[in-house]
Amino acid sequence: MKVAKFGGSSVASAEMLKKVANIIKADETRKFIVVSAPGKRFEDDHKVTDLFIQLLKQFKDGVDYQDTLNKVVNRFRMITEELLLPNDIPNDLKNKIEKLFSMKKSDEQLVDELKSFGEDTLARILSDYLSELGIQSTYRNPKEAGIIVSDDYGNAVILDEAYEQIHQLRNERGVIVIPGFFGYTKNGQLRTFPRGGSDITGSIIAAGVEADLYENFTDVSSVYCVNPKLVPQPKEITMLTYKEMRELSYSGFSVFHDEALIPAFKKKIPVVVKNTNQPDLPGTMIKAEKEDFSKPVVGIASDEGFSSIYVRKYLMNRELGFGLRLLKILVDENISFEHAPSGIDDMSVIVRSHQLTKEKEQKVLKRIQSELNVDTISIQHNLAMIMLVGEGMSQRINVAAKATKAIAEATTNIEMINQGSSEVSMMFGIESEKLQQTVQSLYREFFE
Ligand code: ASP
C-alpha cells in the first residue's frame, strides 16, 4: 500500500493532472493520494497559495481584490474545463471566499482558512476526475481523515493521538484523495502547516496507515548531490538514509520541507522522490539504513545568511554555567542558535542572520559583554555554511583532509569547522562570497 504525494508543479495544470491520473492508474497499490495546491506552470507564474495570500492582503487593505479573486478562481476553472469536468467546484470556491470575507474572524484564522482552499479545491477536482476515468475515488477532508493538529497558526504540528484515526483509513475502499497542508485542532479549527507543508501531510498519512512506501512526486528526477545552481548538472543520488536526508535538507536542499519526513521516518517507512514527468525513472530512495558505505560523502549542502557571535574569556572552561548564561541571553531575545563550536577560552554561536535586527544585535552584544564579563566580543555577518553529508564518513579516515585541501584550492579561508558526534556530517563556515567556488572545488574532490 502506497501513499503518493504530488507537489505544486505536478498539479499546476490540467495537462499535469492527466499525468497524475496516469500514474495513479498505473499502480493499484497507490491508494492514498495527497496533493498540493497548483504551483507555477512557468517561471513567472504565481503559486495559487501566494495568490491567496495576496488576495487576503488586498481584502484587509480595503483595496479592490476582484482581479486577484478572478485569477485564483480561473486557475481552477481552466483545469476543470480542460478536464471536461463541470465548473461547480471553482464556482463553489468563489462563494466560499466571499463567505469567508463576510465572517468575523481573526486575521490569523482568515489566512489559514484561505490558504487551505488551494489544496482543498484541487483535491476535490482530482477526485472527481479520477471518478470520471472510472477509478473508484473519494475526497477526504483532513478533518474526516483525522489530521488533528496543534493550535499554532500557520505552523501546526500533528498530535500523536491523530494516528489512531488515520489508521482507520486503511479500511476504506478505492483511492482516497486528501488535500495536503492543513489539519484541524481538537476544537475543529482549521490550521495550516508551514509553507511547503503538503509534504508533511503525505508523511503523516504514510505513517498513519503504515504504508509500504511514501512516494513524493515532484518536478525533479532525483535528489542531486549538490545544489544545481552552484554546480551545473551535478550527479544524482540514488539512495540516501533518513539521517543523511535530514542533514542535507537542513541546509539548502529544497526537495523536502526540513521536518516533513519525520512522521514517516519514525515508522521506518521508505520514501522515494520521483518525477511526475518521468515516473518510470527510479528516483531517489530514502531509507532507515543502508548497506553500501563505499562513498563517504553522498551530498554537499550549503546555505547562506548566517552570523557568528564570537566571545573570548580567559579561563572560560572553568567557569560554571558560562555557555548556559550566554545562550539564555539569546533565548530572552527570542533568537535560536544553529551551532556553538567552542574552544578552551572561546566560543562562537552561529545564528541565522534574519533573526537579528540592528537594535537586537546591539542589545545582545551589550548584554553578553556586561553580564558575562567577556574579554573579547565580536560579530561576523555574511557567513555561509557548507555541509558534507554521508553516513560512510564515520568509517573512513581522510575525509576532513580531502575537504580542507579542496577548500584551500578554492583559496577560501575556513572560519569554522564542526563535526557532530554522530559523524554524519562535517560542516565548514566560510565567507558567503566564496560559496560557489568552494562548493565546486569540494564537488570535484568528492564526486568527479
Ligand atoms: N501550497 C502550500 C505552499 O505553497 C503547501 C505546499 O505546496 O506544500 O506552501
Side-chain angles (χ1 to χ4, degrees), residues 50-114:
D50 292 330
L51 288 176
F52 277 120
I53 293 170
Q54 188 188 337
L55 178 62
L56 184 67
K57 187 168 179 318
Q58 290 172 338
F59 170 70
K60 283 272 131 203
D61 293 348
V63 298
D64 184 11
Y65 58 79
Q66 284 307 321
D67 248 17
T68 316
L69 176 61
N70 289 334
K71 227 191 228 169
V72 177
V73 175
N74 283 340
R75 280 292 299 265
F76 290 104
R77 237 181 232 145
M78 272 169 74
I79 293 177
T80 45
E81 274 165 15
E82 218 178 297
L83 295 179
L84 307 177
L85 296 171
N87 269 334
D88 309 5
I89 297 176
N91 293 346
D92 199 31
L93 170 67
K94 192 163 185 181
N95 296 335
K96 279 201 248 177
I97 298 171
E98 298 281 19
K99 189 167 162 217
L100 186 65
F101 282 171
S102 71
M103 291 163 111
K104 284 216 161 22
K105 297 200 181 215
S106 70
D107 284 4
E108 291 159 309
Q109 186 67 43
L110 264 184
V111 73
D112 272 22
E113 291 195 21
L114 198 60

Side-chain angles (χ1 to χ4, degrees), residues 108-150:
E108 291 159 309
Q109 186 67 43
L110 264 184
V111 73
D112 272 22
E113 291 195 21
L114 198 60
K115 278 192 295 185
S116 77
F117 286 161
E119 348 297 277
D120 196 63
T121 311
L122 201 275
R124 289 169 193 270
I125 292 174
L126 178 63
S127 181
D128 280 5
Y129 180 52
L130 293 175
S131 302
E132 278 300 307
L133 297 176
I135 302 167
Q136 187 186 359
S137 163
T138 317
Y139 154 86
R140 275 274 168 274
N141 182 273
K143 195 186 253 174
E144 305 158 340
I147 305 184
I148 312 167
V149 298
S150 68

Side-chain angles (χ1 to χ4, degrees), residues 5 8 36-37 47 49 119 181 194-199:
K5 182 253 162 179
S36 280
K47 288 182 171 189
T49 309
E119 348 297 277
F181 195 35
R195 291 299 304 269
S198 299
D199 281 340

Side-chain angles (χ1 to χ4, degrees), residues 19-36:
K19 294 184 190 180
V20 168
N22 282 335
I23 291 171
I24 297 168
K25 227 168 37 187
D27 184 345
E28 270 188 8
T29 65
R30 289 186 177 124
K31 180 167 174 67
F32 298 99
I33 310 301
V34 175
V35 289
S36 280

